[in-house]
Every structure is written in C-alpha cells, then in structure tokens.
Amino acid sequence: MEQSWRWFGPQDVVRLPAIRQAGARGVVTALHDIAYGEVWTVEAIEARKALIAADPSLGLHWNVVESLPVHERIKIGEGDLTPLFDNYRASMRNLAACGIRTICYNFMPVVDWTRTELFHVLPGGGRALRFNMHEFAAFDCFMLARPGAEADFEPDVLARARAWFDAASESDKDRLLKTIMAGLPGAFGRYDIPGLKRILDRYRDITADGLHENLARFLREVVPLAEELGIRMAIHPDDPPRSLMGLPRIVSGADDIVRILSAVDEDANGLTFCVGSLGAGKHNDVPAMAARFAERTHFIHLRNVAKEPDGSFAEAEHLAGDSDMVAVVETFLREQGRRKDRGDQNWRLPFRPDHGHELLDDIGKGSFPGYSAIGRLKGLAELRGVMIAVARIHHLQI
C-alpha cells in the first residue's frame, strides 16, 4: 500500500521534509486557494507538482487530489449547472494531463467533517478531535434555533444541551460555532449564524432521495470522462455518518454506498474508504464493509474513533479505537494483490494516516487540527508495522 500524507500546501506548518521523515512518499493535496467551481489550470497544477518535487532527494510526488470540491449548487441542484459541470470536467482533464488520476471528493451538504472540540485534552496532555452530542444539540437547538431540531435528539442529550447553553459564555458559543464551521482544513468558505440559516433554507426542500439524485446527476456528468482519462473518482463518506442540522446525508452506510456505486456502475465511480468516518456510526460493521467494497475502493483513510452511547465520539489512536484496523489492513493488502495479479498498472492502493493526535512538541504549534506531524507520524509507523506483519504472515506484498 502506498504510504501517503495529507499536505495543505505552502501554508501548512508541516513541511515537505517532515513527510519523508515520517516514511511517506505520496503527497495528498489540493489547490485550496482556488474557489469552488473554478477551473484548476494546468499551470496551477504543475506549480504544485513542482513544489512537491523540488527536492529530488525527498522522492515525493503528488498522488491523490483531496479534494476537487463539488460546488454547493450541484448538491442542491440549483440553477443552470452546465458551467459548473464543464469546469469540473476541465479540471479533471488538466489533472490527468499532469499525471494525477485519483480524485477524492465528498457530497456532504454545507459542512464537511464536523466536531465540537478541536483540542480535547488526553491523558498526558495530548490533544484530539472530539464530537460531543450535547454540544452539537446546543448549537442546533439553541444557537441556530432550527425549527424542529429538538426532535433529532434524545431527551437526556437535550437536557445536557440546555445546561451547557445556559452556562455558556459568549466566547464559549463563538468557539463552538467556529469549531463546527472549521470543517475540512483549507475549505474555501465559512458561515456565521445568519449565513448558515440562509444556506440551510436553500436545502429546505431537498430530501435524501433528492440529494442522491443530484449526486447521481453529478456522476453521470463526470464518470464517463473519468473512464476515458483513467481517473478514479473516490467519494468520501459522511463524517459523522448521520444527519446534521436537518440536512440529509447519503454516504453514511453500506446501503448508501451500494446505491452510489450502482448509480453509474463503472470502476471509475469508486470510494474513499474512511475507517473513522464509517466507524463513527454504530450501524456500520467496518471490517465487513471493507471486504464488501474493496474492489471499488480507490483511496483509504486509516484512522479510528471511540464511540459513546449517546452518539458522541473521539479520535482514538490508530490501532485502539472501535474498528478492527488489522482486519481492514489485511483486506486491502489482499485487494491490491488481486489487482496486481490481474495486471493493473496502478495496483498499489494509496492510503494515509488521518486525524492524528497533537503530541509532544507539536502541541500549540498551529498546525491544522488533526493534522499535526508527530501524531500522524506515530499513526503511520503503527500502520506500517501492521502492514509488514500481515504481509509476512499471509505472504502478501506491501
């Protein structure tokens, strides 16, 4: 499996030599300075490639795009979408012309990954991402004041949410809003409360079926070109895999994935298998899903979460959460062996350690939450050890 590393470009406090020191060679990045819906030019792509490869001794290369964002209007199905589809396909052509052929994207409405704490303190002083259900309920019910929001939460969660809200200072509420809006590091836009209400109103008539049809339309627009160009499209699961703020989410479980892959049943229409995102849903058997969808998986995020009965969860150590990471790794090692045996040129599956804890000298350094160097280095080293052991026991190739 190709050891890779998420890098946010020149603004990332984790520098390129640290990626090599961690043991990765593949760089997962995107052009975050380009607004959603605009074309990624060959010149901009080549400039990022050149930056990554500027020091040949590091041996780094750009192997996965994460993400080529889908414009919100495509998700809503709003207005004349032809220019947006044309621009997306133009970016795909330009990426392929530059030799980059794996595109991770998501179809989460409004917000990407969502947490209520970015710096939850762990024993020993490390810090982790965390989702507290009662804090999210306080935001949804009492800060956003979304009509009908109370029906989405259990009574005990609502009681704790009310207690949190009543005791919260304005700075506490401001911190929670900024945390929920933090989303994917490098995301182009953020919302305040009035702005969030406006975008939610644009989704007021969108059901889960409607959102799926908008995704299916997007796939019909881009997958044929992906097949032609040799590009692998890899949709990322919802994080967390549940409705937020009344918005439908349609990449949250096995049935959702089956529906998406069958909407355009081509190999280019594939999956980013994120252990942590899927693992945050108590309805998901992650190792079984890895086995079921391995053939259509084009990119892998290896991270783990520890769930709580009320739906809260925290980022765990890579090998210590609720999902059996060893079983997942074995599944994907076997899958890439199958691809190699059938003669696939690009048989090695790219993966990256995700959402590492903030540890040691990285604490307070200002890295993107979940993307400090030392925590991901630790995770990658642990995962590398698992891969080597599993490969040796089962006579597989790393």
Side-chain angles (χ1 to χ4, degrees), residues 70-359:
V70 179
H71 197 279
E72 209 70 37
R73 283 180 49 217
I74 292 176
K75 299 175 188 178
I76 299 171
E78 183 180 74
D80 180 10
L81 300 180
T82 300
L84 290 175
F85 289 134
D86 287 344
N87 286 358
Y88 203 97
R89 286 189 291 260
S91 296
M92 292 170 62
R93 289 188 183 93
N94 293 341
L95 285 163
C98 297
I100 303 165
R101 290 186 168 84
T102 301
I103 298 175
C104 173
Y105 70 101
N106 76 71
F107 218 77
M108 290 179 259
V110 182
V111 291
D112 288 279
W113 60 258
T114 302
R115 301 294 185 271
T116 63
E117 289 186 78
L118 300 180
F119 304 106
H120 177 73
V121 179
L122 302 168
R127 306 198 297 187
L129 301 172
R130 181 175 170 83
F131 181 90
N132 292 313
M133 185 61 75
H134 73 281
E135 287 186 330
F136 188 81
F139 174 80
D140 195 10
C141 298
F142 309 127
M143 291 176 58
L144 185 61
R146 178 174 62 88
E150 290 86 350
D152 289 349
F153 302 96
E154 296 296 326
D156 65 315
V157 170
L158 279 175
R160 287 185 285 127
R162 171 56 73 179
W164 183 93
F165 181 78
D166 290 344
S169 65
E170 288 305 311
S171 63
D172 291 333
K173 296 172 188 176
D174 185 59
R175 173 200 57 79
L176 182 58
L177 171 63
K178 289 179 178 177
T179 299
I180 289 172
M181 288 299 105
L184 186 66
F188 199 79
R190 301 287 186 266
Y191 298 100
D192 57 12
I193 292 291
L196 187 54
K197 288 181 176 180
R198 286 192 294 271
I199 188 66
L200 290 177
D201 188 59
R202 290 165 63 189
Y203 273 95
R204 66 185 180 278
D205 296 324
I206 304 295
T207 64
D209 283 343
L211 185 62
H212 175 79
E213 179 49 42
N214 292 341
L215 171 57
R217 179 183 177 186
F218 169 75
L219 293 173
R220 291 192 294 269
E221 293 281 350
V222 303
V223 169
L225 179 63
E227 283 284 323
E228 176 187 326
L229 298 173
I231 282 177
R232 297 173 293 184
M233 300 294 296
I235 193 167
H236 189 286
D238 302 326
D239 185 9
R242 54 161 290 152
S243 173
L244 298 178
M245 297 178 285
L247 293 164
R249 286 198 160 192
I250 57 168
V251 199
S252 291
D255 291 344
D256 296 333
I257 294 170
V258 169
R259 188 176 183 184
I260 291 163
L261 297 182
S262 61
V264 179
D265 193 10
E266 301 287 349
D267 185 63
N269 176 26
L271 177 66
T272 294
F273 195 93
C274 180
V275 174
S277 295
L278 296 169
K282 62 183 179 181
H283 55 288
N284 287 329
D285 182 338
V286 174
M289 293 175 73
R292 183 175 183 181
F293 300 116
E295 189 172 353
R296 295 284 284 274
T297 293
H298 299 318
F299 183 36
I300 306 163
H301 290 177
L302 295 180
R303 65 179 179 88
N304 229 326
V305 300
K307 297 186 292 293
E308 298 171 16
D310 70 349
S312 301
F313 62 91
E315 302 290 343
E317 294 184 0
H318 287 75
L319 304 184
D322 293 340
S323 296
D324 185 344
M325 191 66 77
V326 176
V328 171
V329 168
E330 180 179 344
T331 290
F332 287 119
L333 283 174
R334 291 187 182 280
E335 170 59 20
Q336 73 168 14
R338 185 188 68 81
R339 296 181 188 195
K340 185 173 185 289
D341 290 344
R342 76 181 185 189
D344 288 4
Q345 183 177 1
N346 298 313
W347 55 270
R348 187 166 270 120
L349 278 163
F351 82 95
R352 66 175 179 85
D354 199 10
H355 290 188
H357 292 166
E358 192 177 65
L359 303 173

